[in-house]
Amino acid sequence: MIIMKGIIKIAAIVVIAIALFFGCKKNVQDTDFKDVDRITLEGLPEERPVADSLNYSFSVSPISTTAATLTLVVKLGGNVVDTDRSFKLEVDAAKTTADASEYTLPSSFTIKAGKVAANIPVTLKRSSRIADRSIKLTLKAVANENFQVGRKSSFTFIWTDDVVKPVTWTGSFQFALGNYSKVKHRLVLSSTEYKDLNLIDATKDYALYDVIYYIASASLAKLNEYNTAHPGAPLRNEFGEVIEICGSCK
């Protein structure tokens, strides 16, 4: 019994020592565990950001559309308090290609009392020079008297009036329509009432499989109509390849 008690005591000491070791190690290696309020920047999931950026194309909007308002999500890591707190954002000039006249930001930024996040409207302008190019606006968090900066400290908006490959053009969409090209994308947009293909994600909604194959069928009909009207000169993509509508087609 004496030996058994000794073994139990030794085991308990070892467990406590390991816990203390890893607890101290976490405090040294991971500064986010310290009692400091921080802010991080993200995109709104509904607007389909990818990592730390969001691509937007005015090509899905009517010609009369002159601006689009998207969302920067500022999240709090730290203490929730019962007063409003301002935070600071700046335009990262080194990573921004948009002119100041091509976007609009609020005049001030605040996380409201009792809240853990703030949605900041960012208005992107449809200027004439984005007809065939993309421009960027990168915003970065800056420390102030209320907040330090978290790991995700910047976010980029990229916009154009040209078509941009939808994030959903993969899987079933790829199988139904074939490889992506801008010319094929414009053909698809002209074939049905569906203009924002980023919203058609069959991996999240099984019913959208029918929508995908309806789009593919209508696009194929439109393609055949074009090719019939242009004998010997079928529709080609921007790489000079003849366009087809089917799985793995050009």
Side-chain angles (χ1 to χ4, degrees):
M1 289 296 292
I2 294 175
I3 295 174
M4 182 61 68
K5 288 181 179 179
I7 293 173
I8 292 172
K9 286 182 179 180
I10 292 171
I13 292 171
V14 170
V15 169
I16 292 171
I18 291 173
L20 288 173
F21 172 77
F22 282 105
C24 293
K25 189 174 182 180
K26 181 170 70 174
N27 285 335
V28 170
Q29 292 186 344
D30 195 341
T31 57
D32 283 352
F33 279 88
K34 293 182 179 179
D35 189 21
V36 175
D37 295 340
R38 301 176 185 274
I39 55 172
T40 59
L41 308 185
E42 300 179 6
L44 191 68
E46 294 85 342
E47 295 174 357
R48 295 185 175 275
V50 177
D52 60 353
S53 64
L54 173 64
N55 280 277
Y56 180 81
S57 174
F58 280 99
S59 65
V60 302
S61 305
I63 296 298
S64 59
T65 302
T66 59
T69 300
L70 301 177
T71 309
L72 176 69
V73 180
V74 180
K75 289 189 174 181
L76 164 66
N79 301 299
V80 178
V81 300
D82 58 3
T83 58
D84 293 353
R85 288 182 289 178
S86 65
F87 58 89
K88 189 175 181 181
L89 297 177
E90 288 184 354
V91 174
D92 189 336
K95 298 180 180 179
T96 294
T97 59
D99 297 333
S101 62
E102 293 174 311
Y103 60 85
T104 302
L105 301 172
S107 58
S108 61
F109 310 102
T110 304
I111 291 183
K112 296 291 186 180
K115 301 297 183 180
V116 297
N119 286 354
I120 306 302
V122 179
T123 301
L124 312 178
K125 306 290 184 65
R126 192 178 199 172
S127 62
S128 59
R129 75 186 185 110
I130 66 171
D132 60 354
R133 73 189 68 186
S134 297
I135 56 176
K136 298 189 298 181
L137 167 65
T138 298
L139 298 173
K140 61 181 180 180
V142 179
N144 69 354
E145 66 276 11
N146 295 318
F147 300 104
Q148 293 298 309
V149 177
R151 292 177 178 176
K152 298 179 181 179
S153 60
S154 69
F155 192 83
T156 300
F157 294 90
I158 306 167
W159 69 104
T160 182
D161 211 353
D162 200 358
V163 290
V164 175
K165 184 179 180 179
V167 296
T168 53
W169 198 299
T170 183
S172 297
F173 220 119
Q174 175 91 15
F175 181 79
L177 290 164
N179 294 342
Y180 177 84
S181 70
K182 289 186 176 183
V183 177
K184 184 183 288 188
H185 191 170
R186 293 189 189 98
L187 172 71
V188 170
L189 293 179
S190 69
S191 300
T192 76
E193 68 274 25
Y194 293 98
K195 303 304 179 186
D196 191 349
L197 303 183
N198 285 306
L199 302 178
I200 305 173
D201 188 352
T203 63
K204 295 184 178 180
D205 185 349
Y206 184 80
L208 291 177
Y209 280 107
D210 290 340
V211 174
I212 290 172
Y213 287 100
Y214 159 67
I215 292 173
S217 177
S219 299
L220 178 58
K222 189 86 170 183
L223 176 63
N224 289 336
E225 179 184 325
Y226 176 93
N227 289 342
T228 299
H230 299 81
L235 186 64
R236 296 177 180 271
N237 62 26
E238 59 268 32
F239 311 111
E241 301 163 328
V242 175
I243 288 179
E244 301 173 277
I245 302 292
C246 64
S248 299
C249 290
K250 299 296 184 182

